[in-house]
Each structure stands twice: as structure tokens, then as C-alpha cells.
Amino acid sequence: MPPTGVLRAAGSRRTAGALTAALIVTLSVLAGCDSGGSRAAGGSGGEERRNSPKPVAVRLPPRHAGFDYQIGGAYPPPKGVRIVSRDRSDAPAPGLYNICYVNAFQAQPAERSSWPADLLLRDAHGRAVIDEDWHEALLDIRTPAKRERVAGQVNQWIDGCAQKGFDAVEPDNYDSYTRSHRLLTAADATAFMTLLSRHAHARHLAVAQKNTAELAGVRERAGLDIAVTEECGQYDECGVFAKAFDDRVVDIEYTDAGLRSAVTHWGDRLSIVRRDRDVSTPGSKGYVREAG
């Protein structure tokens, strides 16, 4: 999970250079999840199954290409970079393949008050469930009705990514169910991701799976096209993502050891970069960037 202490929420259009750098593919979005609605708390999963979309064209990033992770603030991409991920508040980098970061499953501290109270996941005592590492409230995606409502907000951000000219969207915190004290399930996460993917695909945006190696096997069902991983080298997960996404994986390592591992085993196949954990900008204290 990325550092989300900086509030990220600016415009441009996709350039011809980005089109030539991208591969045009046609994909069928598989609507539905085997167990998306089968939970004790209820939910038919109908919103994941109805209105199966027609195939749409999206652009995939080049494999094994120079990559930079700029979700902490945009800056001119270093020489050799062909893929960049930026926050939804920033503009795409002209001429590159651009991924738009969206915090989809949790509410950042500064945005928490903008969410209806009943869409924040709450425990048996009515307290909001918080991701303590980043002080973010988890969103309640336990039922089809709530998934539709949360998606309504997140999809507006996805629309903004498309309007600015991004090529793909990176919905973060897919794995928030693992921090929900068992209130959320993997099926809830996959069902919600399916809603986001369908919407993004309709706007011709590819969709990235963020981390969550345990769900890589259902990536087609969830409508996921590429992967954005953090420390897959450090935790020996790169192979899982490489297999599931046919090497269309961009990886961020935060330690020298992780970078060495990722480059040693996957440096000729994946797009790898070493960044500082704050994902800071050049000139900032602690800024680190090393190409994989």
C-alpha cells in the first residue's frame, strides 16, 4: 500500500506519443464474481451480473519499460521513462503511458468527511474501521447497494482520469478486506472491483490490480488488465503477477534489497523502479529514485 499522507486529488489530453507507445487490445469484461453476493450479511450480487458489457478497446503499457511512480507529486519524468503513475489530481505526462492513482477502497483523512457516514465500514460498536498504518477509514462494500453507492463516487474520479487523458487507472487498497477485522471478504472486494473495471473500460481505460497477490487468479473475472505492485521483489510475489498479467507489471521497491531481488529475478521482464516510501519529488529530503 502506498504512502497516502499527501492529499492527492489537474488536466491535459493524451498525446500521439502515448498512443504509439501503447498496445491496442480488445478485451471482454467478465461481469460477475462466483461468490460476490454469497455472504452471510446478504447481497445477491446482481449488480455484478447484469448488463454484461460489450468488448471495448483499451491500451496496455509496454512490457519491461522505464517506469516512474509519482503519486506523491508530479515532476518531469527522468530520461528513459515510458510509463508513469500519477495521482488523479495531477495531469498525465505528455507522450508517455499514464496510470491514474485513485484511492478506491478507503477514505483518505482529509476526504473522510465527504463520505456519507453509512458508507464508512463500522464495527459492532458503530466505530469506523481504520487502516491504522495510513489513518484511513475503510469503505463499506458489503452489500450490492452499498457497492453501487461507493462506486458512484469513485467512478466520478475515474471519469476525471479519462477526461485528463490517462491511459489506465490504479484503484488502490484492493486488499483492504484483510484489514477489516473480517467484516469484508475477498468476494466483496472482487465484486466492487468489477464495478469499477466495467466503468473504467467503458471510458477506454485499462485497470490495474494493485498488490493483492492472493486475488491475481481472478483478475479476468474482476476485469483487471495490468498490475501495479509494491515490493513484489521484497516479498517474492513478482512471479505471481508476471504469470497472471503476462509480464505487464510495474513494480515499486522501497529498499535496496527488494530492488536487487526484483532486478535479479525479473529485471529482463518487468518494469521496476526503486522509490522512497514517501514517493517524494526531486529536491525533497529523502527523495530516492533508482531505475530497475
Side-chain angles (χ1 to χ4, degrees):
M1 183 167 36
T4 51
V6 178
L7 176 61
R8 302 172 292 273
S12 176
R13 288 305 308 161
R14 182 179 296 115
T15 64
L19 304 186
T20 58
L23 173 67
I24 304 297
V25 299
T26 299
L27 56 92
S28 295
V29 184
L30 300 182
C33 174
D34 286 349
S35 53
S38 58
R39 48 173 297 110
S44 65
E47 91 281 25
E48 292 90 19
R49 291 192 292 269
R50 67 175 179 266
N51 298 328
S52 180
K54 297 178 181 179
V56 295
V58 299
R59 297 174 176 86
L60 300 184
R63 297 179 179 88
H64 186 224
F67 169 56
D68 199 13
Y69 202 51
Q70 300 186 2
I71 68 168
Y75 52 87
K79 184 178 180 180
V81 167
R82 297 175 62 196
I83 306 168
V84 65
S85 183
R86 289 179 169 176
D87 185 74
R88 63 183 174 86
S89 63
D90 288 318
L96 305 184
Y97 187 94
N98 287 271
I99 303 171
C100 187
Y101 173 93
V102 173
N103 194 348
F105 288 75
Q106 299 182 179
Q108 291 177 196
E111 295 180 336
R112 177 175 167 178
S113 63
S114 69
W115 286 96
D118 69 317
L119 290 184
L120 300 181
L121 184 67
R122 297 184 182 275
D123 62 20
H125 303 286
R127 294 186 294 254
V129 178
I130 304 296
D131 176 352
E132 299 295 345
D133 286 338
W134 307 108
H135 309 292
E136 296 178 350
L138 274 64
L139 298 173
D140 191 346
I141 55 171
R142 287 178 291 182
T143 68
K146 286 194 172 184
R147 287 194 284 271
E148 292 277 4
R149 290 175 61 201
V150 176
Q153 175 59 53
V154 177
N155 285 340
Q156 291 182 40
W157 299 337
I158 291 175
D159 288 345
C161 295
Q163 290 163 7
K164 289 180 178 182
F166 283 90
D167 299 283
V169 63
E170 171 193 341
D172 196 16
N173 292 308
Y174 190 22
D175 62 349
S176 62
Y177 71 92
T178 66
R179 300 181 289 279
S180 71
H181 308 296
R182 300 185 178 182
L183 293 173
L184 300 176
T185 68
D188 294 328
T190 304
F192 181 62
M193 184 65 84
T194 303
L195 293 179
L196 302 183
S197 296
R198 179 185 295 115
H199 188 87
H201 287 154
R203 279 132 187 86
H204 302 283
L205 293 171
V207 186
Q209 174 167 327
K210 183 67 172 289
N211 299 322
T212 325
E214 63 273 18
L215 296 185
V218 297
R219 69 98 171 172
E220 289 188 359
R221 185 183 307 157
L224 299 167
D225 310 297
I226 62 178
V228 175
T229 68
E230 291 175 298
E231 303 193 284
C232 75
Q234 182 75 27
Y235 296 105
D236 195 24
E237 294 177 336
C238 296
V240 174
F241 292 104
K243 179 179 179 181
F245 292 92
D246 193 23
D247 288 358
R248 295 192 192 278
V249 178
V250 295
D251 174 54
I252 308 97
E253 297 291 334
Y254 296 119
T255 67
D256 289 336
L259 180 65
R260 285 195 300 270
S261 177
V263 170
T264 297
H265 298 101
W266 300 97
D268 61 343
R269 293 173 57 177
L270 309 184
S271 301
I272 302 167
V273 70
R274 160 88 154 91
R275 288 301 329 266
D276 56 283
R277 289 191 181 276
D278 289 332
V279 200
S280 56
T281 57
S284 301
K285 183 179 180 179
Y287 169 78
V288 174
R289 184 188 182 274
E290 185 178 347

